[in-house]
Amino acid sequence: MTRPPTQRPTPRSDDDQTAPLSTEQPSDQHTDLDLLGTPELVQALLDDQLNAVRAAQAALPDIARAADLAVTRLQHAGRLVYVGAGTSGRLGVLDGVELLPTFSWPPERLVTLIAGGERAMFRAAEGAEDDEAQAVLDLQAHHVDAGDVVIVLAASGATPYAVAAARHATQLGALTIGVSNNPGSPLQAAVHVPITLDTGSEVISGSTRLKAGTSQKIVLNALSSAIMVRLHKVYGNLMVDLQATNRKLRLRALHLTVLASGADPDAARHALHDADGHVKTAIVMLRLGLNAEQARHALTAAGHSVRAVLDAHP
């Protein structure tokens, strides 16, 4: 793994007041926002969200590079580690937690860190984002190492907790990915793969929970989903590695098994029962006429890829 490139834009000092962050600049649009009628107010807020999509699209090459590098680590027992503060930290926790039921991502291979700890998910702990030492302690407490993928989020790109975590994780040899909304930020210089979402000023000036936050959520959706597809947790465009832990998800598992196998619902239901609810196993059983044990063995031998198993048995 190469270290972060040395040729980067000069990082902005945390104390540099001469060049305000673009996300903190007052917007020159809707300067009379508080005078708008409610429909016009909502329209202004919605219209500005489209810029979050454009910013994410502009970052596509970096998102793709981050996904490819992450897969290389995660193919070997590496963990996904999300780090952030405030809104960015909450978005990281949300993305990580949703991987468990959606893609059966093992909980022991997920670490979510937010400045201020778990309580900061529900109540703002703004002072915690300045604690650089705690960021290092949090990484040490979870034994982050060179096998892990660390995704650090900070709209400003200068949040001390986030930047300190990124620097320390990089020093440990972990793959570090930084998602920020200001070009030339300290976070960009601290990570292997910087993803910059240049969303600029907000309709409500300084409120980075708006399109800056939306752009981060878009990137996290795309990045983690792309990683999971590359790790064979999707067959075609079907989510075949979900955890069917409630009635809705059990029905979804049945539907996915029928779609992927071509079997009738009764046959799919019996296969899922024998496969302990595992959609991948049920698909292989039905498509190849195997029992559950044989299907599990075939999947293990093929790196848990349904497509690889089926391609090997035309």
Side-chain angles (χ1 to χ4, degrees):
M1 171 59 62
T2 57
R3 297 302 294 262
T6 56
Q7 297 297 319
R8 295 279 180 87
T10 301
R12 187 192 312 275
S13 166
D14 296 350
D15 299 321
D16 183 2
Q17 301 300 318
T18 63
L21 300 171
S22 65
T23 50
E24 303 293 333
Q25 292 276 18
S27 173
D28 59 4
Q29 297 187 13
H30 309 297
T31 54
D32 292 326
L33 191 71
D34 60 333
L35 299 179
L36 295 179
T38 303
E40 292 77 19
L41 171 60
V42 173
Q43 186 68 60
L45 292 166
L46 291 176
D47 286 347
D48 200 44
Q49 292 290 303
L50 297 175
N51 292 315
V53 179
R54 297 185 185 103
Q57 289 175 326
L60 187 153
D62 292 325
I63 300 169
R65 177 170 173 254
D68 283 337
L69 292 173
V71 168
T72 300
R73 299 288 178 106
L74 297 173
Q75 284 173 332
H76 306 287
R79 296 176 298 171
L80 273 170
V81 182
Y82 292 81
V83 183
T87 298
S88 296
R90 295 181 190 100
L91 289 170
V93 173
L94 175 63
D95 194 70
V97 169
E98 288 183 341
L99 298 179
L100 306 181
T102 306
F103 297 109
S104 293
W105 188 250
E108 66 273 14
R109 296 182 64 190
L110 173 69
V111 176
T112 56
L113 300 176
I114 182 170
E118 186 175 339
R119 66 184 178 86
M121 281 294 298
F122 308 99
R123 180 170 296 183
E126 301 298 343
E129 72 175 42
D130 295 329
D131 197 338
E132 298 180 358
Q134 188 61 50
V136 174
L137 291 173
D138 288 346
L139 292 176
Q140 291 174 339
H142 289 277
H143 309 288
V144 172
D145 61 27
D148 295 328
V149 175
V150 181
I151 303 171
V152 185
L153 303 109
S156 69
T159 306
Y161 180 92
V163 175
R167 288 173 178 158
H168 187 65
T170 298
Q171 291 170 358
L172 292 172
L175 172 66
T176 49
I177 300 165
V179 182
S180 61
N181 296 79
N182 283 282
S185 70
L187 180 59
Q188 287 182 308
V191 298
H192 293 111
V193 187
I195 298 174
T196 304
L197 305 167
D198 194 2
T199 47
S201 59
E202 300 280 2
V203 169
I204 299 176
S205 297
S207 182
T208 52
R209 64 180 289 272
L210 297 176
K211 71 171 177 286
T214 299
S215 68
Q216 291 183 3
K217 181 70 170 82
I218 292 170
V219 166
L220 288 173
N221 280 347
L223 176 59
S224 62
S225 295
I227 290 169
M228 294 300 141
V229 171
R230 289 286 171 261
L231 291 174
H232 311 305
K233 292 181 173 294
V234 173
Y235 172 59
N237 65 346
L238 303 179
M239 190 177 77
V240 294
D241 213 2
L242 79 163
Q243 289 184 358
T245 53
N246 59 32
R247 183 176 183 274
K248 176 189 72 176
L249 292 176
R250 285 191 291 272
L251 288 172
R252 185 176 296 168
L254 176 62
H255 181 60
L256 290 167
T257 303
V258 169
L259 285 174
S261 68
D264 63 64
D266 283 340
R269 191 175 290 107
H270 282 105
L272 279 169
H273 177 271
D274 291 344
D276 298 322
H278 191 218
V279 175
K280 281 185 175 183
T281 304
I283 293 168
V284 172
M285 290 169 62
L286 292 164
R287 289 283 293 271
L288 300 181
L290 304 177
N291 62 34
E293 183 178 356
Q294 290 169 329
R296 291 190 191 100
H297 178 77
L299 281 165
T300 300
H304 304 283
S305 168
V306 171
R307 187 170 297 279
V309 172
L310 299 182
D311 286 350
H313 299 81

